[in-house]
Amino acid sequence: MRAVVQRVLEGKVEVNGAVVGAIQQGLHVLVGVHKDDSVEDAAYIAGKIANMRIFEDVDGKMNLSLLEVGRSALIVSQFTLYGDARKGRRPGFSEAASGEFADQLYREVCEQVAGEGIQVERGVFGAEMKVTLVNDGPVTILLDSTRAF
């Protein structure tokens, strides 16, 4: 499982012109599910989202987690995180999980983060979404449950 975690001042997702998820300060997270992922991969990514220390403390050091600062997460599924563009000019997506399985693990990530007491807003799985965000920092962290990065 892969995730792109961005610290944001605000973020929102629209589907067909309607806002389906929005946050103020917090984390905007894109989640891609690999065809071989499991609930353990979802737990790893969820744990990182909730506990990764990427918010500044009073000394200006990135030393606080989403849990500690009491902010929200906007989590959006993003199968293109498994796009392979090494050959040719069009990326292939054969490593991305199929729809139903990917949706199940995406929901698992969201539920586990919410289970930590964090407000979670979501995109709509499989929908054409318009995503808007204002980066804070910018701080962007790439996560991979296989630890391949």
Side-chain angles (χ1 to χ4, degrees), residues 53-133:
R53 299 184 316 171
I54 61 174
F55 292 93
E56 295 177 355
D57 62 17
V58 294
D59 296 323
K61 296 185 189 260
M62 288 198 304
N63 209 17
L64 300 173
S65 70
L66 189 60
L67 273 171
E68 293 168 315
V69 296
R71 297 186 182 150
S72 304
L74 175 59
I75 304 176
V76 179
S77 78
Q78 183 75 44
F79 82 95
T80 60
L81 291 180
Y82 278 99
D84 184 352
R86 292 177 290 177
K87 295 181 183 175
R89 295 181 287 172
R90 182 186 359 223
F93 300 100
S94 62
E95 295 301 306
S98 64
E100 185 177 325
F101 178 65
D103 186 25
Q104 176 187 354
L105 288 184
Y106 162 70
R107 289 178 185 275
E108 183 70 24
V109 169
C110 293
E111 290 167 12
Q112 287 196 27
V113 173
E116 294 286 339
I118 295 168
Q119 178 190 346
V120 173
E121 295 285 320
R122 304 176 188 198
V124 175
F125 186 88
E128 181 71 29
M129 295 176 273
K130 304 297 181 216
V131 179
T132 307
L133 60 98

